[in-house]
């Protein structure tokens, strides 16, 4: 019943405006006739004028009801209504002119319809704009929400302003708009003045008593968001952002779509578009095994793989607690009572052989590894055992059961490595390429950088330090790294797994490198703490100021996916690893360093070419 009442109200609204427009036409016919006769209408012209006025009004209403502003509901003064109103007025003007020209009633002037049409359109638009301005003023007057400066005078900003002003329940009141385009200076959007240049933020915040900066640029990149966030912080403004349009229901942003700034915004990570068909073609109905399934990357890989309907998904790890957590998120229960959850250590070749014979995996994602750089610098032999020997064990067991595809997850530290972690992962890439050369199936590696939120990442370390009241420790003010979000990294791993050629290393586009100190400052700001100090501790052994995606000797080639490149890698036979008897950390470090040197950089395929 309530819905029906609303429909009736809307119908009456259109009908009322139709009557107003009809009266406007009649009045403007009289006005145009009066002007045409030098402000003195002769009695002989009055009957024709009245007839034409009534006819024009009726004709305009009929045209408007069929294909004009009265056929459907419009927002008063909207672009769509203005266009339809202008079209109906033009058709009416032309029809009245033809009628006057053909019938020529009592010598009535043929120019009157044109003047009347112009007057009528101007009057109808003026009435609508006046109503719109009154509504905006009334909406602004009744608002008592937080005072907001909106950055962005584009379509996103315009729609956000309109929603804020017209929604009586909106918690925000826009008081100013800022845009970098100087041509928009002094414009008004929905009655709110536009100011050119983000340098005006501090002054406007003080002038209007603003509390919030709303970034209404859904396509804003990380550099813009970081700069605006810094300026807002200096001006004492909270920051809210509009997500990409694809994430907004209906594509029309409103106050409810604004959300708090997060680390992903500041690092510029945007959703990745996947070739779902290709990935599904590889994973659907297949037996898939993930090593390191209890870790941050491995567990997210399992979650995403499960969506593509594998015949079986085996999760392998030596960390029973990690496996339990992964099982909970993938299967919905933590009973651990089926053979899809495998407790095994990749250092144990015989255990892997037994597991792989039983599971018979067709596709393997190898995510198990030791990754903490400082620890591995102290204990290189452990890196050797897990990242080198462990990878060789997984490769060997996979080849023995005839795996169709093997994907080794590597790191950007394998490009021109300077640390034990980089050495060990570079050798893992070489071993994978060696198996591609010597065994059937497809063996590829994928290389990416730091993953935000992964276990042991700087985000966890900084968050813990902030929680303790500081200080936050950063090695060097100029250290910068590539960052990815866990879901994004795993999505690109799945994409790479479907397009990589045998023996290649696939390198993911990770955007621009971000200074670690900027991550620390952002987390401090997001915590709301103002008393946290940042202390620089100096570069650690093996640590670079900046990472590289490719070694100096590698030549990248593009792939079918714009975010994935590929490079060849020199092969390494498994026998070169098994014949080593490394008894000390120093021996392990020396051997891995030697096998990762530039002298080993040329691959057989590159040499042959």
């Amino acid at each position: 019943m309530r819905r029906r009442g609303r429909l009736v109200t809307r119908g009456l609204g259109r009908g009322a405006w139709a009557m107003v427009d009809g009266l406007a036409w009649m009045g403007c016919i009289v006005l145009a006739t009066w002007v045409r006769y030098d402000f003195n209408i002769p009695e002989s012209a009055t009957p024709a004028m009245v007839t034409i006025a009534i006819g024009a009004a009726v004709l305009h209403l009929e045209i408007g009801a069929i294909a004009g502003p009265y056929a459907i509901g419009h927002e008063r003064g909207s672009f769509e209504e203005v266009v339809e109103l202008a079209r109906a007025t033009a058709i009416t003007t032309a029809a009245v002119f033809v009628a006057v020209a053909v019938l020529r009633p009592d010598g009535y002037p043929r120019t009157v319809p044109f003047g009347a049409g112009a007057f009528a359109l101007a009057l109808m638009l003026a009435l609508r704009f006046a109503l719109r301005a009154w509504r905006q003023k009334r909406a602004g007057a009744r608002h008592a929400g937080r005072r907001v400066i909106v950055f962005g005078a584009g379509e996103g900003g315009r729609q956000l302003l309109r929603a804020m002003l017209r929604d009586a329940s909106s918690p925000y009141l826009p008081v100013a708009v800022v845009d970098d385009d100087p041509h928009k200076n002094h414009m008004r959007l929905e009655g709110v003045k536009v100011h050119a240049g983000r340098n005006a933020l501090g002054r406007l915040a003080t002038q209007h008593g603003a509390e919030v900066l709303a970034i209404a640029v859904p396509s804003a990149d990380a550099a813009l968001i970081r700069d605006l966030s810094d300026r807002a912080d200096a001006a004492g403004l909270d920051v809210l952002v509009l997500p990409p349009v694809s994430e907004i229901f209906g594509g029309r942003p409103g106050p409810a779509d604004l959300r708090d700034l997060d680390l992903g915004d500041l690092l510029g990570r945007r959703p990745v578009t996947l070739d779902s068909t290709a990935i599904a073609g590889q994973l659907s109905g297949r037996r898939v095994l993930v090593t390191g399934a209890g870790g941050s990357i491995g567990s997210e890989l399992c979650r995403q793989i499960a969506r593509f309907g594998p015949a079986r998904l085996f999760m392998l790890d030596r960390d029973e607690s990690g496996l339990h957590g992964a099982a909970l998120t993938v299967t919905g229960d933590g009973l651990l009572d089926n053979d899809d959850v495998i407790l095994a250590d990749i250092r144990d070749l015989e255990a892997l052989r037994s597991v792989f014979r039983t599971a018979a995996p067709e596709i393997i994602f190898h995510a198990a590894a030791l990754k903490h750089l400082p620890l591995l610098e102290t204990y290189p032999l452990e890196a050797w055992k897990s990242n080198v020997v462990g990878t060789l064990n997984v490769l060997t067991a996979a080849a023995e059961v005839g795996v169709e595809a093997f994907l080794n997850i590597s790191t950007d530290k394998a490009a021109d490595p300077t640390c034990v972690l980089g050495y060990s992962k570079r050798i893992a890439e070489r071993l994978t390429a060696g198996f591609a050369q010597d065994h059937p199936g497809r063996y590829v590696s994928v290389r990416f950088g730091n993953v935000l939120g992964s276990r042991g990442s700087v985000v966890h370390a900084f968050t813990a330090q902030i929680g303790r009241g500081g200080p936050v420790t950063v090695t060097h003010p100029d250290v910068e790294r590539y960052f990815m979000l866990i879901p994004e990294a795993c999505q690109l791993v799945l994409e790479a797994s479907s397009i990589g050629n045998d023996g290649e290393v696939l390198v993911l586009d990770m955007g621009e490198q971000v200074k670690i100190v900027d991550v620390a400052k952002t987390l401090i700001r997001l915590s709301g703490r103002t008393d946290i100090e940042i202390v620089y501790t100096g570069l650690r052994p093996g640590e670079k100021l900046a990472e590289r995606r490719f070694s100096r000797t590698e030549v990248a080639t593009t792939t079918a996916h714009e975010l994935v490149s590929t490079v060849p890698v020199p092969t390494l036979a498994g026998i070169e690893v098994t014949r080593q008897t490394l008894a000390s950390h120093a021996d392990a470090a020396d051997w891995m360093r030697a096998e990762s040197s530039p002298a080993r950089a040329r691959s057989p395929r590159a040499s042959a070419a």
Side-chain angles (χ1 to χ4, degrees), residues 96-365:
V96 172
F97 168 75
V98 170
V100 171
V102 171
L103 299 178
R104 198 82 173 129
D106 297 326
Y108 192 76
R110 287 174 292 179
T111 58
V112 167
F114 294 109
F119 290 151
L121 181 60
L123 179 58
M124 289 185 284
L125 293 180
L127 290 172
R128 283 164 169 78
F129 293 152
L131 176 65
R132 184 168 177 166
W134 175 76
R135 284 179 174 174
Q136 288 175 356
K137 184 175 181 180
R138 188 180 66 171
R142 72 168 179 259
H143 262 302
R146 302 180 72 191
R147 301 172 76 82
V148 177
I149 297 174
V150 175
F151 182 86
E155 188 58 27
R158 185 186 297 273
Q159 292 188 13
L160 180 62
L161 284 168
R162 184 178 301 143
M164 285 180 174
L165 288 169
R166 298 187 183 187
D167 183 357
S169 62
S170 171
Y172 306 111
L173 172 63
V175 294
V177 180
V178 175
D179 197 280
D180 282 337
D181 186 352
H183 296 99
K184 295 180 179 179
N185 196 28
H186 302 308
M187 282 178 54
R188 286 190 176 271
L189 297 181
E190 304 296 324
V192 181
K193 187 176 179 180
V194 178
H195 303 263
R198 64 188 79 168
N199 291 332
L201 271 177
R203 173 178 58 82
L204 292 171
T206 302
Q207 178 181 335
H208 295 284
E211 305 169 69
V212 177
L213 172 66
I215 302 176
V217 185
S219 60
D221 59 24
L224 173 61
I225 292 179
R226 284 197 296 268
D227 183 65
L228 290 174
S229 177
D230 289 342
R231 293 174 185 272
D233 188 49
L237 299 171
D238 295 334
V239 181
L240 299 174
V241 295
L242 275 180
V245 174
S246 60
E247 298 179 17
I248 298 174
F249 182 75
R252 299 179 68 87
D257 295 305
L258 288 169
R259 58 168 173 77
D260 290 331
L261 192 68
D262 61 29
L263 201 55
D265 297 314
L266 293 160
L267 297 178
R269 308 319 305 171
R270 293 296 182 225
V272 177
T273 301
L274 297 179
D275 184 352
S276 298
T277 302
I279 297 173
Q282 169 152 318
L283 299 178
S284 179
R286 302 297 184 89
R287 300 170 71 86
V288 182
L289 185 144
V290 178
T291 72
S296 305
I297 299 298
S299 59
E300 176 64 22
L301 266 176
C302 290
R303 284 189 286 272
Q304 296 198 24
I305 291 169
R307 299 206 311 263
F308 290 95
R312 295 285 295 274
L313 173 57
F314 299 97
M315 296 176 283
L316 183 150
D317 205 297
R318 68 175 182 178
D319 179 355
E320 60 179 354
S321 297
L323 275 177
H324 181 257
L328 274 173
T329 59
V330 173
T331 65
D333 68 65
L335 298 178
L336 304 178
D337 58 354
N338 61 62
D339 57 4
D340 290 350
V341 180
I342 302 168
L343 185 64
D345 192 336
I346 62 171
R347 294 181 178 187
D348 186 342
L349 176 57
E350 292 308 315
L352 289 180
R353 281 172 163 158
S354 174
V355 165
F356 280 32
R357 282 195 295 268
T358 301
E362 299 168 275
I363 300 170
I364 293 176
F365 291 85

Side-chain angles (χ1 to χ4, degrees), residues 380-545:
L381 192 57
E382 295 303 309
W384 155 265
K385 292 176 181 178
S386 288
N387 296 356
V388 177
V389 177
T391 297
L392 177 58
N393 290 340
V394 178
L395 284 164
T396 301
E400 289 176 353
V401 297
V403 69
E404 294 180 11
F406 183 100
L407 191 134
N408 168 53
I409 295 179
S410 187
T411 170
D412 56 2
K413 291 175 177 59
D416 287 336
T418 60
C419 60
V420 169
L421 172 59
Y423 302 148
S424 64
K425 297 299 281 186
R426 176 66 170 179
I427 293 170
E429 290 180 354
R430 295 188 59 200
L431 286 169
T432 304
F435 270 74
Q437 188 176 61
D438 300 332
H439 296 84
R442 188 162 54 93
Y443 292 80
V444 297
S445 296
V446 60
R447 186 188 293 171
F448 55 82
N450 294 275
V451 179
L452 284 173
S454 63
R455 206 160 54 189
S457 72
V458 293
V459 174
H460 287 176
F462 289 165
T463 301
Q465 290 175 333
I466 292 169
R468 291 195 299 266
V472 171
T473 56
V474 178
T475 58
H476 192 283
D478 295 326
V479 166
E480 56 185 10
R481 294 288 181 264
Y482 291 110
F483 283 98
M484 304 182 79
L485 304 176
I486 293 176
E488 176 193 33
C490 292
Q491 287 167 12
L492 282 173
V493 166
L494 292 179
E495 181 75 36
S497 71
S498 68
I499 63 176
N501 294 319
D502 203 16
E504 291 179 333
V505 173
L506 298 157
V507 186
L508 306 185
D509 182 350
M510 295 166 277
E512 299 178 357
Q513 296 198 68
V514 177
K515 287 189 174 183
I516 299 293
V517 69
D518 288 341
V519 176
K521 290 177 180 178
T522 298
L523 288 171
I524 292 171
R525 183 165 61 245
L526 294 177
S527 74
R529 301 285 296 269
T530 59
D531 58 340
I532 303 297
E533 181 184 7
I534 295 177
V535 174
Y536 298 103
T537 59
L539 288 176
R540 299 171 294 189
E543 186 175 21
K544 303 176 186 176
L545 276 177

